[in-house]
Every structure is written in C-alpha cells, then in structure tokens.
Amino acid sequence: MDTRDWPIRAKLTALVVTPVAALLALWIFATTLTFGPALDLLAARTLLSDFGRPGEQVVAELQRERRASVIQLAGTGTLPALTEQRRRTDEAVAELRRSIGGQRLRDASDGLLDARLDAFGAALEALPAGRGFIDRRQVDRAGAIGLYSGMISSAFQAFAATAALPDPELNREALALTALGRARELLGQSDAVLAGAFVAGRFAEGEQLRLVQTIANERFLAESAVADLPAVDRAAYQRLVEGEAFVRLRTMQEQLLVAGSSGRPPVDARNWQTSQEAVQQGLRDFELSQADGLAERSVPVAVRILVRLGAAGVLGLAAIVVSLLVAVRVGRTLARRLTGVRGAALELAEHRLPDVVARLRRGEHVDVAREAPPLAYGADEIGDVGRAFTEVSRVAVRSAIDEVTLRRGLNEVFLNLARRSQGLVHRQLALLDGMERRAEDPDELAELFRVDHLATRLRRHAEDLVILAGAAPGRGWRQPVALLDVVRGAVSEVEAYDRVDIGRVDPAGLLGRAVADVIHLLAELIENATTYSPPESRVEVTGGAVPRGYVVEVTDHGLGMSPQAVEDANRKLATPPEFDPTDSARLGLFVVARLAVRHGVRVTLRSEVPGGVTAVVLVPADLVTDEPPIAPPTRDRPAASVTRLTTLPRPRSGRGTRERPDQTVLPFAPARTSSVEAAPDGDGLPRRVRRRGPVARPRTPVAGDAPAPRTPEEIRRQMSALQTGTARGRRDGAAVHPVPPGRPDPPARPDGARGTGSGAAAESTPPPAGPAAAPEPTATERDA
C-alpha cells in the first residue's frame, strides 16, 4: 500500500487509529475472555435447576423401572408395580424434555453440553422399544439391565459436561459430585442383579461375577470422588457412610464378594432392599445438597470475576480514551500547523506574489519584509519548515522585484530605441516629402515613392516597439476620421498593398483618439493575411455597421489555421498575455491584442472553407460616429485644421466593386503644372499616366544665401509659418484652378502625401494614395 500520496490528515489519522484500534481489540478480547467465565459461573444455577434436578429425577425413575423389569423377567407372571413405575418414568422424561427444549437452558449451555443433551434425548427414544422386548420376554435380565444402564450412562455424560466451570476448585467439586452419582448408579445395578436372583432363587450364569465387578467399581469411584471434595464435604460424607444403613449394606456386600458363583445369594432379600433404599436416598440427598451449595458458591466467584472485569474494563477503556484524546489532540495540532504552512505557501503563490508583481508593474514600492512576514510555527521541525519557507518566500519576492525591474528596464530600452527610431523615421519622411516635391524626373520620383513606402512601414515597426514597451505611439488625431480612410491608411502600410482589395465599406467615422491604433491594428492583420497566403491570391477587406459598433473583416485565401491554433490565438487576442521575448514569432499577434485591449476593440479569427482565415475586428459603438462631411477649405479655415485624411470627396463605387490599387483619389489640385496626365477609368475616376516633364533649370546661387544661426524657437515659428502658407497656397490654388475631368493627379506616395514635381510617375503601380495612405498628422492634429 503506497501512502506517499495520502493527505497529511489521513496519515495522522492512520497513525492514531492503528494503535488505538489494536488497543481496543486487545481490550475487547480480554474482556470477552473474562466475561465468558463469569457468565458460565452465573449459568451454574440455571444448569442445576433446568437440567440437574430434572435429569437426576429421570435417572432415579429409570433405576426403579430397571429393578422392576428385572424382577418381572425373573418371575413367570406380570408385575403390576412395573406399569405404575413406567408411568412415573414417563412423567419425569416429559418434564426433562420440556427443560431441554427451553431456550434458557440452551443459552446457558455450551457446544459440548448441547451435543450430550441431544444424545441423552436420543437414548430415551429407545425406552418404548425396550419395554416391548421386556414385556414379550425377548430379552433376559442382563439385557434389561444393559438397556436401562445405557440410558442412565448418557445422563451422567451430560452431567459431566455441566462440570466445566472456570474456577478450578468449583470445577473439581462438580466432577467429584458427578463421580459420586456414578457410584450410586453402580450400587443400583448391584441391587437390580440381586433383585432378579432373589426372585429366581439363584444367580444366573455370570451374574455373580458381574455383581462382584460392580461392587468393586462402586467402591473405587466413591473413594476417588470423595478425595476431590472439600474438607467440610468429606466430613459430611464420612458421617453419612458411618450410618447404620451404610454399615449393614457394606457387610452384606462383603458376603456377596466371598459367595460362590452359583446358588442362592447369601444375604436376606428384605434386609438388602431396606439397606439399599436407605443408602440410595442418603447418597441422593447428599449429592443434591452439595450441588445446591456448589451453585451458591459459584455466584460470589462470578461476582468477583465481574468486578475485576469491570475494573479492568473501565481502566482499559479509560486508557483507550486517553490515548485517543492525546493522539487526536496531537494529530490535530500537527495537521493545523502543517495546514497553516500550506495555506501560507498557497497564499504567497496565488495572491501575494502576483499582487507584488502587479504592484511593481504599476510602479509602486514593495517592502519585502512586509510582503513576506516570518511564519511562526514553533521551534520544532514544523517551525523549521516555516522559517525555511519564509526565506523562500522572501527570495521569491526579491526575485519578482528583480524580474519586474528587469522587465521595466527592458521596456525602457525598447521605448528609448523606438522613440529614437520614430524621430529618425519622421525626419526621413519629412526629407522624402521635400525631395518628392522637388523631383522632376519620373523614375527618380518612383524610387522616392518606394523609399517613402519603406519608411512608412519602418514607422509602424518602430511603433511596435513602443507598444511592447507599454506606451502609446506618437501619432494621433483630435477629430473623427472616416473609416474608409482608416482602412486605406492601413493598406498603405503593408508591403504587398497591391494584393489587397477593398470591398464595400459602409460610411462611418472613427474618433480621433483611436485612429492611429486602429490603423496600426488593421495593418498588422492585413500584413499577416498577405504573408500567410499565396503570392497570387488576393486579400479582401470589407467593413459594415452592426448594432454593437462597426465590423471590419480581413479575409485571406491561404492554408488557414488548425482549430486548436485558432482557439489559442483567439484566447490571446481576448486576454493579451505578458510579453515573452522568446515568442518572437507571435509578435504581431501580441501587438494586435495590446492595441485591441487599449480601446475595447474585439478581434477574433475564424477559419474559412475551403481555406484561409478571416480576422473580424469589432470596433465598439462608443468609438464609432457619423462619417465626417467634406468641407471645402476656406480662408477662415486653414487646411491644417481639416479633420479628414483627404480634402476632396471620397469616391465609392456604386456597384460595390473592389477598389483596384491603381485607382487613386486626388487629395488636392496641384499648384503648378503636373508631370502626369489623367485618363478616365471605368468608374469615372482619374488614373495616372506617365509622361516626361520639362527638365528643371539649376538655380543660380546668390551671395549671402548661407543661413544665419537661428534659435529653436525661431525655427519652429518659421516652419509653422511655412506649413501654414503652403496649406493656404494649396487651398487657394484648388479654389482658383478646379481640377478638370481629364487633368492628371500628382503621383501618390505610400503614406498619402502627393508629389508636386513635374516629373513622370513611377513605372510600377504605386500604393493607394490619398485617404488610404494615412499621412503624418499636422502639428494641430498630433496629440503626442
């Protein structure tokens, strides 16, 4: 039996129960051994009253019937006294049978006595048949004597079985009384033999020898039985045998012993009968009185045994109770202390340590001594375990502090690197914007567009580091932005933007505080869709309003994901785990989860048939608003304060067809002659056509062009004025020179800015322009 996995309470219970159960078993065994003999002594009176006296009466009646039957067989006629004697015998037998059949006698008797009572009853069953043999004279005197003697012998065997008392003195006295009864039975057999000889006038063949043997056996048994009697009883027996009847009977027995083997008995028949009846009655009375005394003496002995038994039982029971109480108390104390240690361990592992880590992540100060107080559980081994666990808990808390400090430092490193990269990327984008505006060669402009697109993606990856560090990206909008522009802005930040088809997108707006994060979230999902699908397949993006908000679906047609992988991904998207640097393959999933939790956006993945995965983005209703209207710029409303990613109407196909990547929307009208021409598309929207523009003339340097040193405040004011003037010029140019239907729009760059140079567009198909490009917010739009 393996007990290593048992609970400590079960082990302590086993330690307590096993010895107590053994002690209890020994107590019950000892009590039973002592209680049984006491009950046997108390049952002696029952045996005497229910079997001793009725059985002795049956024996006496059988002895008389035996003498009468022998007399009848010795004569020639029928003996009338035999019939009366048989009636008395039958009455005694009936009384005995009622006692034997009673439950009281059976309860007081043991197995041996039960068997001998049954044997005695079976022997008495032969009495009617024996009487028939005697009446028909089918048996001689010796056979009749043997018939009755056998029944009487069964009775004495049952008497001997009652002499099984636990007290040695009482048991020896009971056996002595049984032996005296047997001696009296032998005296009765001698009387039956002589009675037949007196009637027949002579001994039959072998009777005289049988008589001598019977007398010798009777004397031997009597002497042996008397030797085992107590001194008082021996003196009483001695006074009995010194009586006149005993002396006269003993004299006649001496005469019979020296008589010949044939002829008439040498004693007077009347004197023999008188002496024999007197001796029989005297011996019977002596036996009965001794039996009554024996029963009376057994009661005090039984009481003494019961008293000793009670004292021993009470002491044993008290010892068991004390042992049980001590064991239970010690066991409960051990169990309580061990349970306390276990509870403290679980409290630290499940509550204290996670709470310490959470507080450390919130930047709170943590006291190690307070969070891991010493466990006082005594000075024994359990106390040592408590003290050792206290040290372990303190080391665990310190390790948690060190780990959180390390994570915080790592996040700060991520954030520092990300901020530096963001600054460089923003400067790079501004530089590229200026280069695009000054470029005249279309091939050079196309290459600048590609670099611009790479810089836009690099900006998103830099924002990933900011998100991993737990901070918010720097981009932001104050006013709502159309969700169609948000989707286009996300597509423009994807490398394989030309594989993305924008389907039906219902009109709706997104609050400015969530625009940057939702663009980033959608860009991550769209890039995953393009990465994990075949290069020739398409990725579809659709959007629609639902009762709980707005749903954007990104569907690819790749190999898909297993059900278990989809379940794991959805669980991480619902409850983003702590960032694990070892799980870099799931970096995009972690970024999406972080962005979704920040604004309450729900992102789920589902498998498609026959293949592919659809990412469902549910934007909550509190972030969704009506699509902001397009207001034409005016002098009173500078372009920098426009709250849309575009300033012209947002084209939507009335037929619900997909938006092709080569279709663009003019964000503004160029202020000067453009280097591209527009050809009308199937849906009436302009499409860029490359052409060679005039070559720019080099600018002649002028003396004194070297800029004088300026303070940062002057530079900021000048840049702000330049930006405001540029926006005003674009607005005035759009108002003065409206765009004709065939007028080309400037080439688009991946982040939505438009080139204004005169060079031709790039040879390759550019990424979605205008509202889909999510340009950098202006100084008045940027929150951070």
Side-chain angles (χ1 to χ4, degrees), residues 140-154:
D140 57 1
R141 289 179 291 176
I145 292 173
L147 174 66
Y148 288 98
S149 297
M151 299 178 190
I152 296 172
S153 177
S154 296

Side-chain angles (χ1 to χ4, degrees), residues 560-571 605 607:
M561 301 170 62
S562 64
Q564 184 62 39
V566 171
E567 182 180 354
D568 294 341
N570 286 331
R571 184 173 61 253
L605 305 180
S607 298

Side-chain angles (χ1 to χ4, degrees), residues 518-537:
V518 173
I519 290 176
H520 196 149
L521 184 149
L522 292 176
E524 292 289 346
L525 294 175
I526 295 172
E527 186 166 39
N528 280 345
T530 58
T531 303
Y532 294 101
S533 61
E536 66 277 3
S537 64

